[in-house]
Amino acid sequence: MSVIVEGAVPEIQPPHDTGGREPASNVAQGAWILYEWANQTYFSLITIFLFPPFFTQVLADNPIQGQAYWGYVQATAGISIALMSPLLGAMADAAGPRKPWIVFSTLFCAAGCFGLWFAVPGQPLLPVALALVVAAIGMELTIIFANAMLPTIASDRRIGLLSGIGIGVGQLAAIVALILVLLFLQLPGEVSAPFIPDEPLFGLSKEAHETDRIVGPISGLWFVVFMLPLLLLVPDQATRGLNRRQAAREGLFRLWQTLKSVKHFRNVGIYLAARMLFYDGMTAIFVFGGILAASLFGWGAMEMAVYGIWVTLFAAFGAFVGGWVDLRIGSKKTLIRSLVGVIVTFLILLSFDRDRIFYVIEIPVAADAGAFTTLPQQLFLLTVGLFGMMVGPVIASSRTMMARIAPREMMTEFFGLFALVGKATAWIAPLLIGIVTEATQNQRYGLMVVVPLILVGLIGLVFVKEERASAVVH
């Protein structure tokens, strides 16, 4: 019979009782951080900035169809991840080592990324959609397994710092990758400058959209190369001697037991529910905030790229600072303070218009005013930078909080549930925004629905105890 005990880990269980030393070396912890550098290029190039416009405006018959298909692709990937991640996490916990799973999921993601090279205009969209789904599933599974390694290589005191540094390093990687692609693939032939080549590198053709399609292989190669330090230098869990069939059988049993016993992990359950709400709301601001900015100020692709780099840079800085703050005051306090900052800066962002600031102050703006030259645009950029600084700690500390309170012996399993909760409900905020925007015909009113989501999540977080849950078998 399994008895679930919440609170401090019993003396017989702590794997980090190492006489004050870290469970793994600084080199190993640094190699784990590089996994964040490896994965963020996929997000910056494929899911946020470069490939979505190519998919919706070039590959699809029209932008409306393209946006709908992009939504279907993301929904399919999300549902697949929600169904697969808890089971595979339980299987990994049952088998012991995480690296074999990471190798498979990394190569799976890379295969999907390389498949995007064949996204030729005029060809059917189904193979492209399949490649996107494969890449997304591989990436999310890699994140689950790699995140579950963190508590085994770092002390409870240090995981917040490493998580924050990792998120910050990942944001910097996103900036570096985006700048390199823009400078050497997108801007040549469009902008004349000493540091920009006259033609795209590698002889790629813009007319054949090779400069757009190459971001898939670039992301896949980047991911594989920078995952190598984790695979080579980070110590793994010892094997339990189970083959795949035995691991699957035990994994299914453990998953069923976990789902049945979730009610016993009350503290973890409250946290997962709270995180689901505030994270969905915050993510929606990221996605729809750029749409609002482009609509308000008439920004094109180049301005939106600058906008993305600007926000990411501040998010990286916020993650670095947030990791240090998490180390000093803990994950819960860091999350609460950062989420308050997210709400405040978001409400300020909604106060800007082309010729208005802070809701009521009118600002004269010339009809031909350039990008980033008017006071409303400049204050918008300043505020969205502050918003990014608040987002960085939320991303880092939400993961750290899970690593602090989940049972050690079920860590991968609970990170699977962590991903399941996030992916299973990621459609809620966008759906609400769409419904309210259509009903009110007002973008700001539509975006306002995220405030109650974040607030309810923040209130739920107040009731979470920052202490380890433990599953003890008698």
Side-chain angles (χ1 to χ4, degrees), residues 129-145:
L130 180 61
L132 287 166
V133 170
V134 167
I137 292 173
M139 176 59 70
E140 292 295 339
L141 293 179
T142 301
I143 290 173
I144 291 170
F145 300 132

Side-chain angles (χ1 to χ4, degrees), residues 145-167:
F145 300 132
N147 281 351
M149 295 182 78
L150 179 57
T152 70
I153 65 169
S155 64
D156 284 351
R157 181 177 180 275
R158 202 169 184 181
I159 56 176
L161 179 63
L162 290 183
S163 182
I165 293 175
I167 295 297

Side-chain angles (χ1 to χ4, degrees), residues 3-27:
V3 179
I4 310 302
V5 181
E6 289 199 287
V9 182
E11 282 189 9
I12 60 172
Q13 291 185 338
H16 298 326
D17 186 12
T18 55
R21 301 186 306 274
E22 290 294 313
S25 67
N26 290 336
V27 172

Side-chain angles (χ1 to χ4, degrees), residues 272-302:
L272 287 174
R275 193 252 184 193
M276 173 190 73
L277 294 171
F278 70 69
Y279 211 85
D280 284 357
M282 187 185 73
T283 302
I285 297 174
F286 251 127
V287 174
F288 290 90
I291 297 173
L292 176 66
S295 175
L296 292 179
F297 305 121
W299 289 348
M302 184 58 61

